[in-house]
């Protein structure tokens, strides 16, 4: 029992910091609400249009701002108080959810409302995701605990991915989508309360802030381009977000047409990915440091790709749920390991801009969603997801071929770096979302 207690305490070590505990608790509630809204919006679009193309179009409008506004969001995260930025973005997201709930509950909702409000939320999330990822480092006093904090953030996303869709599936069937949006709006109250209760030191004034935003933007991205661990990690993230996440957009089709189910089946399917993600995030939280993550990343993508292919070829719900479990596991390990590796290497003065690259990689998702909607209309959802899995496997193989070059920058002969990976390169360090 003592050993188990020690292991649990080790896995939760970032929670010993008050600010991080507040952040963790608030984000847990909010993330569940966010997933409820995500599932409800997708289901509502499909219910109103019965169109795979419109599903892809909606998710395109919802996600493309992350790519368009990513560079600006990175400069904002480096130049302004991240704590205040997050308070503003979370408040705006709550207002968006309130408006959405009002339109649905009053029966005035139309598809163009969903497209417009999805785009607005995407703009808000572009700044929120970058600021939140960069803000994590400000919440842990001992930087050796940063990888654990990032892994625990992944657990938040994983738990919410399990609980949120399951609740949404039940609520949609019983009372409709509007209640999901209303509950999501309410979920922002605890996260805003937690943010307001934090005692965060004001950011140190930097000389760099005297530079023009365009010059800072260029400087940060050139830094990332010439540093192999960041460059290849971001490229693989972008590829996976383009091809390996389309199953989420097309999930209503699998639930309704392939598995002959309803909204409850949709929640069950998404819950299976959440359960796998929890296991993957727990694995990362148990690791003492980021060493070796450059090898974990490509194999996680291989797992994701193979299970996507198998999932696309089955019409048996049990096998589908099993594959989604491993899809969730591979996906969260890839995302969280990439974030941890980048955050552990980045220079603080470039953290926001490099982090924006991480956020922008998720901006490839809308293009994948739009393409998936078109492809699914012609070749079907199953073939579309299967092709995405093949692309993920190919990308992982290319990453493995560059692994030797990457490891030249992540491995050192100095044992002191084993205790503090964050400080192992003064000029070549990087930053890392989700959820």
């Amino acid at each position: 029992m003592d050993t188990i207690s020690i292991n649990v305490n080790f896995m939760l070590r970032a929670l010993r910091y008050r600010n991080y505990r507040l952040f963790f608790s608030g984000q847990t509630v909010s993330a569940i609400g966010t997933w409820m809204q995500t599932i409800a919006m997708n289901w509502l679009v499909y219910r109103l249009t019965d169109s795979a193309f419109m599903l892809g179009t909606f998710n395109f409008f919802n996600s493309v701002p992350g790519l368009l506004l990513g560079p600006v969001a990175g400069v904002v995260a480096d130049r302004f108080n991240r704590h205040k930025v997050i308070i503003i973005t979370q408040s705006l997201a709550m207002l968006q959810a309130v408006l959405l709930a009002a339109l649905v509950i009053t029966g005035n909702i139309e598809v163009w409302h969903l497209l417009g409000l999805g785009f607005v939320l995407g703009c808000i999330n572009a700044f929120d995701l970058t600021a939140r990822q960069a803000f994590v480092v400000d919440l842990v006093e001992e930087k050796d605990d940063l990888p654990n904090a990032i892994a625990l953030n992944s657990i938040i996303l994983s738990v919410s991915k399990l609980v949120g869709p399951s609740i949404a599936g039940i609520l949609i069937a019983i009372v409709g989508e509007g209640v999901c949006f209303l509950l999501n709006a309410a979920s922002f109250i605890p996260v805003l309360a937690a943010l307001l209760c934090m005692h965060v030191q004001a950011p140190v004034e930097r000389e760099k802030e005297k530079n023009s935003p365009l010059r800072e933007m260029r400087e940060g991205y050139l830094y990332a381009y010439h540093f192999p661990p960041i460059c290849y990690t971001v490229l693989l993230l972008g590829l996976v977000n383009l091809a390996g996440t389309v199953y989420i957009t097309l999930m209503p089709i699998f639930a309704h047409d392939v598995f002959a189910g309803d909204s409850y089946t949709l929640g069950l399917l998404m819950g299976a990915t959440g359960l796998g993600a929890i296991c993957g995030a727990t694995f990362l939280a148990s690791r003492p440091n980021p060493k070796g993550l450059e090898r974990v990343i490509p194999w996680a993508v291989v797992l994701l790709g193979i299970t996507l292919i198998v999932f696309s070829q089955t019409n048996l719900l049990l096998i589908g749920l099993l594959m989604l479990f491993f899809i969730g596991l591979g996906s969260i390990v890839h995302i969280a390991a990439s974030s941890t590796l980048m955050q552990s290497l980045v220079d603080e003065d470039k953290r926001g801009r490099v982090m924006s690259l991480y956020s922008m990689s998720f901006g490839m998702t809308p293009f994948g969603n739009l393409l998936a909607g078109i492809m699914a209309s012609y070749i079907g959802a199953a073939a579309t997801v299967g092709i995405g899995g093949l692309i993920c496997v190919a990308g992982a193989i290319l990453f493995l071929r560059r692994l030797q070059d990457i490891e030249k920058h992540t491995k050192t002969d100095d044992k002191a770096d084993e205790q503090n990976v964050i400080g192992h390169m003064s000029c070549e360090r990087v930053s890392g979302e989700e959820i």
Side-chain angles (χ1 to χ4, degrees):
M1 291 294 293
D2 289 341
T3 302
I4 295 176
S5 177
I6 292 172
N7 289 336
V8 171
N9 289 335
F10 179 75
M11 291 175 58
L12 301 176
R13 59 193 182 276
L15 292 177
R16 59 195 173 109
Y17 305 109
R18 179 182 179 274
N19 282 342
Y20 186 78
R21 286 198 305 273
L22 289 168
F23 180 82
F24 183 88
S25 58
Q27 288 294 325
T28 299
V29 177
S30 180
I32 291 174
T34 297
W35 266 107
M36 289 173 59
Q37 174 165 303
T38 299
I39 295 300
M41 290 185 79
N42 276 277
W43 184 263
L44 185 56
V45 169
Y46 192 59
R47 179 170 67 81
L48 293 175
T49 66
D50 196 31
S51 168
F53 174 74
M54 284 306 300
L55 265 179
T57 301
F58 164 72
N59 281 278
F60 176 84
F61 274 86
N62 193 39
S63 304
V64 74
L67 183 63
L68 300 178
L69 297 176
V72 180
V75 174
V76 168
D78 277 338
R79 292 171 67 97
F80 298 99
N81 188 312
R82 296 163 188 163
H83 184 212
K84 294 180 180 179
V85 170
I86 297 171
I87 291 174
I88 293 171
T89 56
Q90 293 286 294
S91 299
L92 292 174
M94 181 173 68
L95 291 176
Q96 185 267 0
V98 170
L99 180 57
L100 188 57
L103 287 170
V104 175
I105 292 174
T106 59
N108 294 315
I109 191 69
E110 296 182 18
V111 175
W112 71 268
H113 291 141
L114 293 169
L115 295 176
L117 289 172
F119 183 81
V120 169
L121 183 60
C123 293
I124 296 169
N125 285 339
F127 292 91
D128 184 72
L129 178 59
T130 298
R132 273 193 292 121
Q133 288 292 320
F135 184 55
V136 172
V137 73
D138 298 327
L139 303 177
V140 291
E141 297 169 14
E142 297 291 335
K143 301 315 174 190
D144 287 342
D145 292 329
L146 177 60
N148 181 252
I150 295 172
L152 291 179
N153 278 352
S154 300
I155 291 179
I156 293 176
L157 296 177
S158 304
V159 171
S160 66
K161 199 173 187 178
L162 173 64
V163 177
S166 301
I167 296 175
I170 296 172
L171 289 177
I172 291 171
I174 298 176
V175 293
E177 300 89 352
V179 174
C180 294
F181 303 140
L182 194 60
L183 289 176
N184 178 48
S187 74
F188 285 100
I189 296 175
V191 73
L192 286 171
L195 288 167
L196 293 172
C197 289
M198 289 180 185
H199 303 298
V200 182
Q201 291 184 349
V204 178
E205 296 290 331
R206 305 187 187 102
E207 276 186 36
K208 198 169 291 294
E209 292 180 351
K210 299 177 182 178
N211 294 334
S212 71
L214 288 177
R215 181 175 178 180
E216 289 191 20
M217 198 181 301
R218 179 177 179 274
E219 179 189 62
Y221 294 159
L222 283 176
Y223 160 82
Y225 177 77
H226 292 292
F227 188 35
I230 293 183
C231 182
Y232 295 131
T233 297
V234 170
L235 287 175
L236 184 58
L237 275 167
L239 182 67
V240 171
N241 282 304
L242 176 69
T245 62
V246 297
Y247 75 96
I248 299 176
T249 300
L250 301 176
M251 197 62 75
I253 299 176
F254 279 92
H256 187 269
D257 299 339
V258 177
F259 299 115
D262 52 17
S263 63
Y264 178 77
T265 307
L266 176 62
L268 193 63
L269 292 170
M270 294 305 299
T273 66
L275 185 60
I278 290 172
C279 294
T282 302
F283 159 72
L284 289 176
S286 66
R287 290 174 58 90
N289 55 56
K291 280 185 174 294
L293 285 180
E294 65 275 9
R295 290 184 172 273
V296 172
I297 289 169
W299 288 112
V301 177
V302 169
L303 175 64
L304 170 63
I306 291 175
T307 49
L308 278 172
I309 295 170
V310 176
F311 173 75
S312 71
Q313 300 304 306
T314 185
N315 60 358
L316 299 176
L317 182 59
L318 185 61
I319 295 177
L321 291 172
L322 181 63
M323 290 303 101
L324 284 171
F325 172 86
F326 287 108
I327 287 170
L329 190 152
S331 179
I332 201 66
V333 169
H334 169 227
I335 293 172
S338 298
S339 175
T340 301
L341 181 65
M342 295 171 71
Q343 287 273 37
S344 299
L345 299 172
V346 67
D347 284 333
E348 176 57 31
D349 65 331
K350 299 180 182 70
R351 188 176 299 277
R353 280 161 290 171
V354 174
M355 169 61 108
S356 71
L357 287 174
Y358 175 87
S359 303
M360 288 171 64
S361 70
F362 292 91
M364 296 305 296
T365 300
F367 294 98
N369 290 335
L370 188 62
L371 184 61
I374 297 172
M375 290 177 62
S377 299
Y378 288 95
I379 65 175
T384 301
V385 171
I387 291 172
L390 286 172
I391 293 174
C392 289
V393 173
I397 293 173
L398 291 175
F399 189 95
L400 284 167
R401 294 186 65 178
R402 296 289 184 179
L403 193 57
Q404 188 174 3
D405 188 24
I406 294 171
E407 289 183 331
K408 290 178 182 177
H409 299 270
T410 59
K411 287 187 175 181
T412 71
D413 295 326
D414 187 353
K415 289 187 177 180
D417 291 327
E418 185 173 351
Q419 300 173 348
N420 188 6
V421 179
I422 298 173
H424 91 280
M425 301 192 78
S426 59
C427 297
E428 297 180 321
R429 302 162 85 185
V430 198
S431 100
E433 171 195 87
E434 190 264 174
I435 311 96

